[in-house]
Amino acid sequence: MNDNNDSTLPTSLRATTDTTDNVAMGAATTNPTNMMINSYGKEQMKMSASSNALKQSLKLENLEEFDKLPYEIHRYSSFSTNYVPENILVDCPSDQSSRWSAHNNNPPQYLTLKLRRPAIVKKIKFGKFEKSHVCNIKKFRIYGGLDEEHMILLLEGGLRNDHIPETFNLRCVAKDATTSLPILYIKIVPLLSWGPTFNYSIWYIELMGQDDPMYTSGCLKDYNKLREVEIIRLCLKHFRQQGYDTAFKALQDQTHVQLEHPLISELHQCLVINGDFEKAEKFISDCIEEGLMDDYLNRQDYKHAWRLQHVQGFAQPGNRGGHQLVMDVKKRLIYLFGGWDGFQDLSDLWVFDIKDNYWTQIFEHSEQFNGPTPRSCHKMVFDPVSENIFMLGRYLDNSIRTTEYIKSDFYLYDTRARTWLQICDDTCQVGGPQLMYDHQMCIDVEKRTIYVFGGKVLTPRSVNASTTSEPEYSGLFSYHIATNTWTQILVDCHHPTASQPDVLSIKSRITHCMVFHNKKRKLYIYGGQRGKEDIHDFITYKVDTQTLEILNRHPNSNGQTGSTGNNNGNGSSVSSNSGSSGSSNPPHSSDGKNEPSPGYTLRATIDCERNEIYVFSSLSKIKDRRDIHHVDASNSFWVYSLDTHQWSRIYTSRYNPSSPDSTKFDNSRNNLMEPCPRYAHQFVYDDMAKLHYMFGGNPGRSTTPQLRLDDFWILELEKPKRDEILKHCRYLVRKLHYEEMAKADPYKAMHYLRHQIAEVIDHSNPEQLRNFHRLASLLFKCDEDIKTEERPLNTLPLGGATTSMAASTSANEDKSLTEAECSSDMASTTDDVCVKSEDNTHAPDDLSMESCSSSTTSGISDAASSYSAYRKSGGKRSRHSYIQELRARRSFLFNKLVQLMPSNMVQPERNLSDFVII
């Protein structure tokens, strides 16, 4: 019995409109002079507005004017006989030999093109062979720049395996998003061909843009100016980090280039120069309160937490898969209908009250109350306006697929009156879909429309077991609730009418995801399967304009193959690695793939306020990979941001078959209890409480194929909050203050540790507690102790002087600043700086804090007094070395803190030293 089933969240719809405010000019006075002045002013404003509009129009027209750019083959990795790189200069789609083909598919394979002169390259066009070809590049990257050795990523994408040429937009602006990016060299790097064991082939390349010197000269000038400013900022950062304060001030005064926002400079002054930790802490607190770290918090991945819901009472739905869940968010209710319990289809209807944590059975046999017959693999949506549930589709066993039973009945359940109504006996007879299963349904609440897409069609032809015809798939339909009318919007690509020019078609599928965004007014469709083919596309359909768009036309996978084969695509393999299957790595492995695998049974929900789509991936639907003991048996959770168009994998947890519990397992890595992998489960989202609910499913046990689950789970996703990041920053600042204090006044440091630092420690967190206890050991360390614990630095100090830890580490620091990571980072680098600073007693005076223009500030005085206390406590270092250590460690903390600030306010992320290789 096939009891796989998907669920979508019905959402409300709200149209958005743009408004334009017109500014009216004041009325003229009766004075003739004033009237003339006002008239002149009005005319000038009109002329100015007209001039600005003309300039803007010309500017836009300029940007849209593309020319075909001539280029030559500059460099290449390899080529097969007769398939030379120069073939891509000519577009001959009917000539199979008119292409460049790499000698093998061992990375890296590439083509580097050189333009006639620097140009603003807007688009790249890939020509193709007249029919699909296994050597077409499925994934590629394109780099560009003025220097062959220093290129940036312009595009990451892939070609469809068909005969239609494809054109892609290239990145054509610099980092500031306003300055045009001039290009002289373009490097095309194939990553994966459609036949994984075949060599990469490119048939034709056309570049479009503008290389007229009258156009590009201004762009080059602006770009070089932008580069110069960035170089100066890198120098300013380097000078300040290394303590060249005189050089820093001179360069800033002469160029008038600011390293960072004045607020950030203020933080550097009070923390690094003055050592005023209390003021620095208050400064950070104010920044967080003003929301300056909100962007950082929003960029962090969610933390997930599963919990098994133990409901009140004894009445609850039993074991099942292929059932359906829908949610009434306003009344805090979840409805469940039907499914397959391993032996029979069910027709019971249940409701779960979230507030009371209680299941109630409404009907045991709905067909006895004019409701639907027992079924599984159906779909339901909830209409929050009428508070009705709509149900369509079901799976039928092959033995009963007769004309009498092959009817697509359509039902409505009124949750207020608690009554069933059959809307239609067979939707196929009134312009709707045929009977199908494994389809998807969404509701557009504002337009009172239900959308139905995909699913495998059941027809009487399937009764004959000897039938060899291809399975039929349903297209995209809409049902208007108010008028009770069906409309077919898109037919399946294999439908008899799909070839007609006025008929829109789509490749239909099963096991896909579909959600509706009520503000963007778009359907989002991801993944699915068609026969044995996994469908990887991510499609959006705008319901008002009936336009389709492929979101992952340029997928972000690394696309590395596991094959070292050599094949020209002419039907025979020249030489291949027999030990390689040629398939890509599993989607949950460490291959860099960053989107859910369409070969899995996916469940998707959407949060229209957050502009996020959530996808839960679990056990594979493919029979030979469905068993819980299979290597691919795992749960993973993904988030797709509609703002950044990026996937994020929140977690992946592999199942431990030796787990004593059949419904949950212990992930040894993070000790989280969560549901075992499954398929045919159901997943709904509460966008008010921001919680996911999951019930039942098939665990895929080959030893007990009839087993179905009845466990009820809640998934909570949460991002770090302001108070968490504030507590973390306070810990970092106080930790460094304590470390300085411990060397000068151990007794005062002990009191500070017990009160100020203990206040910002989560004592329930074992890792934080261990780090807290480790800090106490600093009270008993002296110079001699540190010598015995010497560990090598990641990089050596620059210029023979004490390194600023930020200079050696900021480029490689992980931006996910968890409490444990930052604690260990600071602990491991503190002693390293102390050790190295002793060996640099002859460092230039420019590196000293005393050489700073603010040497009369309290920071230096405090450093001097703390140095005296440090010597009295048994310290052995020189005063110069001691102050150098203070500055290096403070600079390191400063760099850690500014990583949390908006990027347009802070110093460059890279370092000048990153570009110097000796």
Side-chain angles (χ1 to χ4, degrees):
M1 183 68 182
N2 183 351
D3 55 2
N4 180 62
N5 195 19
D6 293 295
S7 169
T8 56
L9 175 70
T11 54
S12 59
L13 179 68
R14 180 169 58 86
T16 58
T17 58
D18 296 330
T19 59
T20 304
D21 295 328
N22 296 321
V23 180
M25 296 183 62
T29 64
T30 55
N31 187 305
T33 306
N34 287 341
M35 290 179 65
M36 289 178 62
I37 293 175
N38 288 337
S39 176
Y40 176 80
K42 290 180 182 179
E43 199 63 34
Q44 288 294 99
M45 290 183 68
K46 289 180 181 179
M47 291 175 63
S48 176
S50 176
S51 175
N52 290 336
L54 179 60
K55 289 179 180 178
Q56 187 67 18
S57 175
L58 289 174
K59 183 178 180 182
L60 291 175
E61 285 181 3
N62 244 351
L63 292 176
E64 296 301 325
E65 288 178 356
F66 303 137
D67 294 332
K68 182 178 176 181
L69 301 175
Y71 65 87
E72 63 182 27
I73 306 299
H74 178 70
R75 200 182 301 276
Y76 51 86
S77 55
S78 65
F79 67 89
S80 297
T81 306
N82 297 329
Y83 302 111
V84 296
E86 285 72 19
N87 288 341
I88 71 168
L89 297 170
V90 182
D91 189 13
C92 297
S94 60
D95 184 0
Q96 186 173 195
S97 63
S98 180
R99 52 171 162 143
W100 166 73
S101 183
H103 183 63
N104 54 53
N105 57 12
N106 291 333
Q109 299 295 325
Y110 64 89
L111 278 181
T112 301
L113 316 179
K114 183 178 180 181
L115 299 169
R116 176 176 56 183
R117 50 178 171 256
I120 308 301
V121 185
K122 300 278 189 175
K123 296 178 180 291
I124 184 170
K125 177 182 177 182
F126 286 84
K128 297 181 184 177
F129 186 48
E130 61 184 358
K131 58 184 179 180
S132 61
H133 200 284
V134 291
C135 289
N136 284 335
I137 50 177
K138 186 177 183 180
K139 295 174 184 176
F140 61 82
R141 291 194 183 112
I142 297 178
Y143 300 87
L146 292 171
D147 185 349
E148 188 182 0
E149 299 301 322
H150 300 93
M151 297 190 189
I152 63 173
L153 183 65
L154 303 180
L155 173 68
E156 190 167 7
L159 299 177
R160 297 187 299 268
N161 192 18
D162 56 25
H163 67 283
I164 304 172
E166 292 185 63
T167 301
F168 300 85
N169 293 322
L170 295 177
R171 174 188 171 186
C172 56
V173 293
K175 190 176 181 181
D176 66 346
T178 58
T179 305
S180 296
L181 186 65
I183 298 296
L184 183 60
Y185 296 94
I186 286 185
K187 183 177 182 180
I188 305 171
V189 182
L191 300 174
L192 181 68
S193 59
W194 278 94
T197 60
F198 289 79
N199 298 341
Y200 314 119
S201 288
I202 296 178
W203 305 83
Y204 173 69
I205 293 292
E206 184 177 302
L207 302 175
M208 288 160 282
Q210 187 57 258
D211 68 347
D212 189 329
M214 296 302 295
Y215 179 86
T216 59
S217 58
C219 298
L220 281 167
K221 183 179 179 181
D222 293 340
Y223 179 68
N224 287 329
K225 183 178 179 180
L226 183 67
R227 290 181 62 199
E228 184 179 359
V229 170
E230 191 68 13
I231 290 169
I232 293 172
R233 293 182 70 217
L234 286 171
C235 291
L236 288 171
K237 178 183 177 181
H238 181 76
F239 291 160
R240 189 174 70 178
Q241 288 189 152
Q242 297 303 112
Y244 300 123
D245 301 298
T246 303
F248 174 87
K249 188 175 186 306
L251 181 60
Q252 197 169 49
D253 290 344
Q254 184 173 355
T255 61
H256 303 292
V257 173
Q258 295 297 318
L259 172 61
E260 61 210 355
H261 193 279
L263 282 174
I264 306 300
S265 298
E266 182 183 342
L267 174 62
H268 184 273
Q269 180 72 27
C270 70
L271 176 60
V272 179
I273 304 301
N274 298 345
D276 191 340
F277 293 98
E278 291 183 3
K279 186 176 180 181
E281 189 175 315
K282 185 179 185 308
F283 181 90
I284 293 296
S285 178
D286 292 342
C287 287
I288 294 174
E289 187 176 346
E290 292 296 325
L292 292 181
M293 294 187 183
D294 286 355
D295 286 342
Y296 170 81
L297 293 175
N298 292 332
R299 290 196 306 268
Q300 304 310 298
D301 284 336
Y302 286 102
K303 295 179 181 178
H304 76 285
W306 284 100
R307 67 176 185 269
L308 186 62
Q309 185 74 355
H310 299 284
V311 301
Q312 301 291 328
F314 298 100
Q316 54 186 331
N319 305 55
R320 67 188 67 205
H323 50 287
Q324 269 289 288
L325 296 178
V326 292
M327 185 162 188
D328 182 345
V329 175
K330 185 178 179 180
K331 291 187 176 180
R332 322 297 298 141
L333 300 174
I334 298 175
Y335 291 91
L336 179 152
F337 180 86
W340 172 265
D341 66 0
F343 301 94
Q344 62 179 348
D345 279 327
L346 304 171
S347 61
D348 51 348
L349 178 65
W350 294 77
V351 62
F352 177 75
D353 191 311
I354 296 175
K355 293 179 292 185
D356 296 335
N357 191 29
Y358 201 88
W359 280 105
T360 301
Q361 186 180 61
I362 303 175
F363 298 108
E364 182 178 3
H365 301 288
S366 295
E367 68 274 17
Q368 297 176 4
F369 300 88
N370 300 318
T373 55
R375 64 191 60 205
S376 60
C377 301
H378 50 292
K379 289 295 176 289
M380 301 194 309
V381 293
F382 178 78
D383 178 13
V385 175
S386 63
E387 297 185 19
N388 292 332
I389 296 173
F390 295 86
M391 181 188 303
L392 180 69
R394 58 174 169 162
Y395 176 81
L396 284 179
D397 191 80
N398 199 48
S399 60
I400 58 173
R401 293 181 194 173
T402 62
T403 305
E404 179 183 355
Y405 287 100
I406 301 288
K407 290 185 178 181
S408 177
D409 48 7
F410 188 30
Y411 283 90
L412 175 151
Y413 176 72
D414 187 334
T415 63
R416 297 170 181 170
R418 295 202 167 194
T419 56
W420 285 103
L421 171 67
Q422 187 182 64
I423 302 173
C424 180
D425 177 59
D426 189 357
T427 58
C428 179
Q429 300 300 318
V430 291
Q434 297 173 269
L435 180 61
M436 65 208 164
Y437 67 95
D438 279 350
H439 49 294
Q440 285 294 330
M441 288 175 64
C442 293
I443 185 168
D444 175 356
V445 177
E446 183 173 320
K447 294 296 180 69
R448 317 292 297 130
T449 302
I450 295 173
Y451 293 96
V452 183
F453 172 65
K456 189 175 289 188
V457 175
L458 296 177
T459 66
R461 290 193 299 272
S462 301
V463 175
N464 185 359
S466 63
T467 300
T468 59
S469 61
E470 291 293 323
E472 295 183 36
Y473 293 87
S474 184
L476 176 63
F477 290 82
S478 67
Y479 171 74
H480 191 236
I481 298 174
T483 60
N484 189 27
T485 54
W486 284 95
T487 304
Q488 183 160 19
I489 303 172
L490 302 172
V491 303
D492 177 51
C493 59
H494 286 179
H495 192 273
T497 63
S499 59
Q500 298 178 12
D502 58 338
V503 176
L504 299 175
S505 65
I506 188 173
K507 178 180 275 190
S508 189
R509 75 261 337 247
I510 59 173
T511 72
H512 52 293
C513 302
M514 185 171 77
V515 292
F516 180 74
H517 197 297
N518 58 12
K519 296 179 181 178
K520 296 180 180 291
R521 301 194 51 72
K522 290 181 179 181
L523 289 169
Y524 291 89
I525 303 168
Y526 178 76
Q529 292 176 308
R530 187 183 177 99
K532 296 183 179 180
E533 176 192 2
D534 287 346
I535 302 177
H536 295 260
D537 56 11
F538 192 3
I539 300 172
T540 176
Y541 176 77
K542 196 163 187 177
V543 297
D544 294 334
T545 60
Q546 296 189 353
T547 53
L548 281 169
E549 180 185 355
I550 301 177
L551 294 181
N552 63 344
R553 180 187 293 275
H554 316 306
N556 293 324
S557 303
N558 285 344
Q560 299 299 327
T561 67
S563 168
T564 59
N566 180 3
N567 196 310
N568 293 324
N570 293 323
S572 61
S573 176
V574 178
S575 66
S576 63
N577 185 352
S578 60
S580 170
S581 65
S583 62
S584 59
N585 291 327
H588 303 309
S589 66
S590 58
D591 64 348
K593 185 180 176 89
N594 60 340
E595 60 182 29
S597 169
Y600 284 61
T601 48
L602 308 178
R603 300 292 181 268
T605 59
I606 188 170
D607 190 315
C608 300
E609 296 297 327
R610 293 177 172 176
N611 274 337
E612 292 176 337
I613 297 174
Y614 310 107
V615 175
F616 178 67
S617 173
S618 195
L619 202 61
S620 176
K621 185 179 181 293
I622 303 173
K623 289 185 178 180
D624 59 354
R625 299 167 59 190
R626 186 181 294 175
D627 196 275
I628 198 71
H629 294 269
H630 193 275
V631 65
D632 289 335
S634 63
N635 291 331
S636 64
F637 194 86
W638 301 76
V639 177
Y640 182 81
S641 171
L642 295 172
D643 296 326
T644 64
H645 302 288
Q646 295 291 328
W647 285 102
S648 297
R649 180 166 53 186
I650 305 306
Y651 79 97
T652 295
S653 297
R654 296 199 177 277
Y655 176 67
N656 179 10
S658 62
S659 173
D661 197 310
S662 63
T663 62
K664 56 183 179 293
F665 66 97
D666 186 3
N667 181 351
S668 59
R669 184 173 56 189
N670 53 21
N671 201 32
L672 290 176
M673 297 300 295
E674 65 176 71
C676 70
R678 62 193 67 200
Y679 64 97
H681 51 289
Q682 274 311 302
F683 206 61
V684 292
Y685 181 58
D686 180 355
D687 57 5
M688 183 181 295
K690 309 301 183 185
L691 297 173
H692 283 89
Y693 294 86
M694 185 177 74
F695 185 89
N698 187 335
R701 304 295 173 87
S702 57
T703 55
T704 54
Q706 287 78 29
L707 176 64
R708 299 298 183 272
L709 303 174
D710 65 347
D711 48 350
F712 192 30
W713 291 86
I714 297 178
L715 173 64
E716 183 175 4
L717 301 174
E718 191 174 38
K719 287 196 174 185
K721 298 178 180 178
R722 284 185 181 182
D723 58 342
E724 294 179 43
I725 199 70
L726 175 59
K727 194 173 184 180
H728 173 69
C729 292
R730 282 176 172 169
Y731 169 74
L732 292 180
V733 173
R734 294 182 186 185
K735 181 177 182 291
L736 180 58
H737 192 188
Y738 162 77
E739 289 169 347
E740 291 188 11
M741 203 181 294
K743 297 182 182 301
D745 191 342
Y747 179 78
K748 184 178 178 181
M750 181 176 65
H751 186 272
Y752 190 84
L753 178 68
R754 292 177 59 185
H755 295 87
Q756 274 70 24
I757 295 186
E759 181 180 282
V760 293
I761 287 289
D762 181 1
H763 294 271
S764 64
N765 187 316
E767 183 64 25
Q768 291 189 34
L769 201 57
R770 278 195 298 271
N771 289 327
F772 176 65
H773 293 157
R774 193 180 298 127
L775 289 177
S777 64
L778 294 179
L779 296 171
F780 309 101
K781 286 186 177 182
C782 63
D783 289 353
E784 287 75 11
D785 297 328
I786 296 173
K787 284 182 180 179
T788 62
E789 298 181 359
E790 181 171 352
R791 294 186 295 272
L793 288 172
N794 292 334
T795 59
L796 295 175
L798 299 176
T802 303
T803 183
S804 162
M805 290 310 300
S808 61
T809 60
S810 63
N812 300 318
E813 281 298 321
D814 188 345
K815 292 186 178 181
S816 57
L817 299 177
T818 62
E819 198 80 35
E821 287 172 336
C822 290
S823 300
S824 59
D825 285 346
M826 290 296 293
S828 64
T829 56
T830 298
D831 292 343
D832 293 341
V833 177
C834 300
V835 174
K836 293 296 179 182
S837 62
E838 268 194 85
D839 298 331
N840 295 296
T841 55
H842 301 291
D845 291 340
D846 285 344
L847 286 178
S848 173
M849 291 176 74
E850 297 172 343
S851 66
C852 182
S853 60
S854 59
S855 59
T856 59
T857 63
S858 60
I860 299 303
S861 301
D862 291 344
S865 61
S866 64
Y867 175 71
S868 300
Y870 159 76
R871 291 302 296 264
K872 290 179 181 178
S873 66
K876 304 298 183 183
R877 287 195 187 88
S878 67
R879 184 174 184 276
H880 172 81
S881 178
Y882 176 77
I883 293 178
Q884 281 304 109
E885 177 196 338
L886 295 185
R887 179 161 188 160
R889 291 160 66 185
R890 291 173 183 176
S891 295
F892 175 71
L893 175 58
F894 170 78
N895 280 355
K896 297 285 277 187
L897 293 174
V898 298
Q899 287 180 356
L900 313 177
M901 303 286 190
S903 58
N904 61 345
M905 291 182 62
V906 301
Q907 61 192 13
E909 182 180 354
R910 296 181 298 178
N911 298 291
L912 193 62
S913 57
D914 298 338
F915 302 94
V916 179
I917 301 175
I918 299 176

